[in-house]
Amino acid sequence: VERLIKGGDDAVSAVIAAASTIAADFSAVDDPYLNARADDVHAVGRQICLVLLGQGEVNLETIPQGAILIADDIGAWDLARAPLKRIGGVVCGHGGATSHIAIIARSHGIPAVLGLGDRINELRAAKEVAVDGNAGHVIADPDEATRSDFNKRVEAAAQERAGLKVFKSVTPKRADGTVIEVAANIGSLEEIEAAQEAGAMGVGLFRTELLFMRHMHLPSEDMQAETYSALARAFAPHSVIVRTLDIGGDKPIAGIEFPDEENPFLGWRGIRMCLDRPDIFKKQLRALLRAAVHGNIKVMLPMVSEIAEVTRTRALVDECAAELKAEGVEHASFDLGVMIETPAAVLIAPALAKEVAFFSIGTNDLTQYIMAADRLNPTVAKLNDVTNPAVMSAIELTAKAGVAAGIMVGMCGEAAGRPDLIPAFIGMGLTELSMSPASIQRAKKTIAAIAAER
Ligand code: PEP
Ligand code: MG
């Protein structure tokens, strides 16, 4: 640090740089215990920087039971590693219903209201807050009547949840007998239990970002192989669809340098970044090939916008398989599919369907790109609506192309768990819906009711 400061760096930059250098040495060692010490070094560096800047560290570790987090914005990873069981609610100035904060809250059954804008400041002095995540209402210091109304509704929701339990083991079918897979969206091994408890028929979206964001260094191939294998084993014979790393400049991770971008959502992210960094991508693909031995692993690519991205990935998968074979490492092949979440992918869906084993419609991004309305920007939240006819027709076009080609068409965006939309999606030919575990039983009930009506 001293050397860097003498060289002209400011103290904070010098501490960050020095901590990164030391942490990198720990990360490079072939030992998981020592690797994890890199995180400690970063944590110490961070503490020193906060002291230098005269700021206190916000620590979620010690929050009391039932506390409601109120912030202008919270990093997705900060929330994911917080003691979620103790969090009673989340209220943010920034974000929207499909931002990752909302997705994490939803999958843990935490009421959340996002996109409050400047109104977040009105909550500064509140001692108690009533949060209705369904309606998007936040009431500071509720009076007796409001309290009693909320308590009644909490009770009614608990009763509804209890009533849905009978759907846990239901295998929902379309009127013609086709099984509709109702699968779980998860982002870590810790969520397996909740998914199984809910009655998930496999995993329709395993977001691998957390694996990469959790540590302050890139996860090794072995660590990834272990994680994907554990998932495959947990849900076999159901399939586990692992999405390859979907990260961009808006959520940087240690170990990958992202350029400064004016529009990170239109930038170097998802499959684009992975194909440019085969050193990172091949580790993940090798780990997936190794895990495929242990169950029904499928792999899907995020942010696809042209066919070459699929053919180039397939070439890399073949290269990885050949390497593993030469090294005598056990591995198996997997089905390769794509997320449909860019308008380009929708428009080339008939051709894309000939190249892949399945489609999974990512309505969160598809909506923001079709409507040209940032999914994190509360000011355009109205436009960011999956039920807009433009988005629904994009979903229908995708389904038609997939059904015509005879491949599975599923959905893993947040819309997949909406009982009001599920009948339309089933009508379009979707046979897999993947959602937060908390939505699974209600979705099964909805599908069973459609078949019964016929
Ligand atoms: C989506 O875009 O719909 C999706 C499922 O992926 P994510 O929310 O992680 O972008
Ligand atoms: Mg997406």
Side-chain angles (χ1 to χ4, degrees):
V1 170
E2 280 178 5
R3 186 172 45 77
L4 288 168
I5 292 174
K6 279 185 191 132
D9 277 14
D10 63 84
V12 171
S13 309
V15 171
I16 293 172
S20 298
T21 310
I22 300 168
D25 288 344
F26 279 108
S27 302
V29 185
D30 191 16
D31 177 290
Y33 178 79
L34 286 175
N35 289 164
R37 302 288 71 76
D39 293 355
D40 298 346
V41 173
H42 278 293
V44 171
R46 186 178 147 80
Q47 300 278 353
I48 298 172
C49 289
L50 285 169
V51 172
L52 288 170
L53 293 165
Q55 291 176 9
E57 168 138 72
V58 179
N59 189 351
L60 296 177
E61 277 311 311
T62 53
I63 56 164
Q65 182 69 35
I68 295 183
L69 286 184
I70 301 176
D72 189 39
D73 199 7
I74 306 172
W77 172 235
D78 288 328
L79 181 64
R81 69 178 164 176
L84 292 161
K85 283 206 168 68
R86 265 186 274 141
I87 296 178
V90 176
V91 182
C92 275
H94 207 64
T98 60
S99 58
H100 285 105
I101 287 293
I103 291 168
I104 292 169
R106 196 170 293 124
S107 52
H108 289 84
I110 301 170
V113 176
L114 280 83
L116 224 58
D118 287 343
R119 284 196 295 136
I120 197 85
N121 291 317
E122 294 165 15
L123 301 172
R124 276 181 188 278
K127 291 211 166 52
E128 258 190 339
V129 181
V131 180
D132 179 347
N134 288 332
H137 294 158
V138 183
I139 301 162
D141 295 318
D143 58 20
E144 213 28 68
T146 312
R147 290 174 69 96
S148 122
D149 172 47
F150 266 70
N151 285 335
K152 267 193 220 127
R153 287 196 282 146
V154 166
E155 179 61 29
Q159 272 182 12
E160 195 218 347
R161 269 200 306 280
L164 286 171
K165 284 218 171 87
V166 293
F167 290 94
K168 174 181 173 182
S169 52
V170 165
T171 300
K173 292 191 179 117
R174 228 163 42 185
D176 68 357
T178 307
V179 170
I180 306 292
E181 307 284 339
V182 180
N185 288 353
I186 59 175
S188 66
L189 296 183
E190 289 86 6
E191 291 164 72
I192 290 178
E193 205 185 315
Q196 289 177 332
E197 262 314 296
M201 300 155 75
V203 172
L205 167 61
F206 182 72
R207 290 186 167 93
T208 54
E209 294 77 61
L210 273 189
L211 223 57
F212 283 73
M213 289 160 86
R214 207 163 221 181
H215 302 283
M216 305 237 177
H217 50 85
L218 295 171
S220 67
E221 178 186 319
D222 283 351
M223 191 272 218
Q224 289 189 65
E226 255 170 55
T227 306
Y228 308 144
S229 301
L231 269 174
R233 281 193 212 99
F235 289 95
H238 289 301
S239 59
V240 169
I241 302 181
V242 179
R243 174 174 75 184
T244 58
L245 185 60
D246 184 15
I247 212 125
D250 62 322
K251 28 178 181 176
I253 50 176
I256 307 177
E257 281 273 330
F258 283 92
D260 268 344
E261 295 177 314
E262 293 238 349
N263 289 306
F265 270 128
L266 303 180
W268 194 57
R269 56 184 313 118
I271 190 65
R272 305 168 181 184
M273 187 280 286
C274 283
L275 284 169
D276 286 344
R277 290 291 305 265
D279 54 324
I280 297 168
F281 198 21
K282 279 180 71 180
K283 272 199 191 102
Q284 186 168 41
L285 295 173
R286 282 172 56 105
L288 287 162
L289 287 161
R290 288 168 58 184
V293 175
H294 302 284
N296 187 358
I297 289 275
K298 295 181 181 178
V299 175
M300 98 180 148
L301 311 177
M303 283 297 294
V304 166
S305 51
E306 57 177 13
I307 288 170
E309 288 160 342
V310 176
T311 43
R312 285 176 63 198
T313 301
R314 211 180 280 289
L316 276 181
V317 173
D318 292 346
E319 201 176 302
C320 291
E323 283 171 15
L324 289 168
K325 190 168 174 216
E327 292 161 24
V329 178
E330 236 197 324
H331 63 285
S333 60
F334 49 66
D335 277 355
L336 185 65
V338 288
M339 291 194 67
I340 302 288
E341 51 183 351
T342 67
V346 175
L347 296 171
I348 59 165
L352 208 45
K354 297 200 178 95
E355 300 290 330
V356 298
F358 63 93
F359 284 162
S360 184
I361 304 172
T363 50
N364 307 338
D365 277 319
L366 185 61
T367 307
Q368 78 162 342
Y369 293 129
I370 291 275
M371 298 305 296
D374 185 342
R375 70 195 255 196
L376 299 180
N377 183 344
T379 327
V380 292
K382 268 215 177 70
L383 279 174
N384 203 291
D385 175 10
V386 69
T387 66
N388 186 290
V391 186
M392 290 302 273
S393 92
I395 296 170
E396 193 164 15
L397 279 173
T398 305
K400 259 197 192 131
V403 171
I407 62 168
M408 184 197 87
V409 183
M411 180 181 284
C412 61
E414 291 301 288
R418 282 181 54 171
D420 57 332
L421 300 180
I422 287 175
F425 297 148
I426 303 290
M428 290 176 192
L430 270 65
T431 54
E432 185 242 24
L433 297 169
S434 191
M435 60 198 68
S436 114
S439 305
I440 286 178
Q441 290 168 3
R442 193 178 290 113
K444 284 187 171 185
K445 180 183 176 183
T446 309
I447 302 165
I450 311 172
E453 266 173 29
R454 301 262 157 125

